Amino acid sequence: ETSPLPPPPPATIVIIIGMRFSGKTSLGSAAARALPTSGNCRFIDVDQEIITRNGGVTPSAIVAGKGWQAFREMECETMKAILKEEEEEQANTTNTNTTTTTTIIACGGGFVDHHESMDLLQPQRLSTASSAHHCMIVWADKPLAMIEACHTADNAARPSYAASVAEVFDRR
């Protein structure tokens, strides 16, 4: 008689938050490539997921056509869908006793501006999504002066803030 295989280790979800131009996407994609998880680490950029799930419509176009509130709601719904898909993926992995994954998710810079989105990041909410997940939130912290310089150099493709970068930085 053989012993049953031990359950796989819990999956890990790393959620990166931070200001626009703080390096969330660069940090997340580099970490996903560098982590020694036998190819089972994936990176999801929430803004890119929004584009993919909405037929190529960019966040800038969404904000221009529907406003910031509609975009924030779409961003929140996209994150809910991602977390649900991760939970389902983990359930499938556990049922088949295969290697688990690490998923790194880079949120949009304003994700923390929406109350319902912030609720998704609360420990009790993340831990009830699946007891088989370990969740971690990472704040990509970059000095305000560097963020302002990036805004000045490359802001044309991004929806404009209704306030100065410093005011948005302080609020978040």
Side-chain angles (χ1 to χ4, degrees), residues 23 141 172:
D141 186 16
R172 293 181 182 166

Side-chain angles (χ1 to χ4, degrees), residues 30-159:
R33 286 190 310 272
L35 285 173
T37 58
S38 305
N40 291 318
C41 185
R42 66 177 159 253
F43 172 67
I44 300 170
D45 182 280
V46 175
D47 284 345
Q48 188 57 51
E49 276 297 302
I50 290 169
I51 293 168
T52 300
R53 293 171 188 238
N54 290 284
V57 180
T58 66
S60 291
I62 295 166
V63 171
K66 298 180 179 180
W68 276 110
Q69 184 63 28
F71 175 73
R72 292 292 172 229
E73 290 168 7
M74 185 178 290
E75 187 176 45
C76 184
E77 291 305 313
T78 301
M79 181 62 122
K80 284 180 188 177
I82 291 167
L83 292 173
K84 183 174 191 278
E85 290 160 11
E86 289 303 310
E87 181 179 350
E88 290 167 357
E89 175 70 24
Q90 179 58 28
N92 291 336
T93 299
T94 301
N95 292 340
T96 59
N97 210 3
T98 57
T99 306
T100 57
T101 61
T102 297
T103 302
I104 301 171
I105 303 168
C107 295
F111 188 78
V112 299
D113 277 342
H114 189 258
H115 291 293
E116 191 175 353
S117 296
M118 283 298 291
D119 286 345
L120 289 175
L121 301 180
Q122 298 306 308
Q124 66 276 16
R125 184 77 182 261
L126 289 170
S127 64
T128 58
S130 172
S131 60
H133 279 96
H134 288 228
C135 296
M136 167 186 326
I137 298 172
V138 175
W139 176 35
D141 186 16
K142 191 178 211 179
L144 176 59
M146 292 176 74
I147 292 171
E148 287 176 320
C150 291
H151 272 268
T152 302
D154 184 23
N155 207 26
R158 313 275 179 135

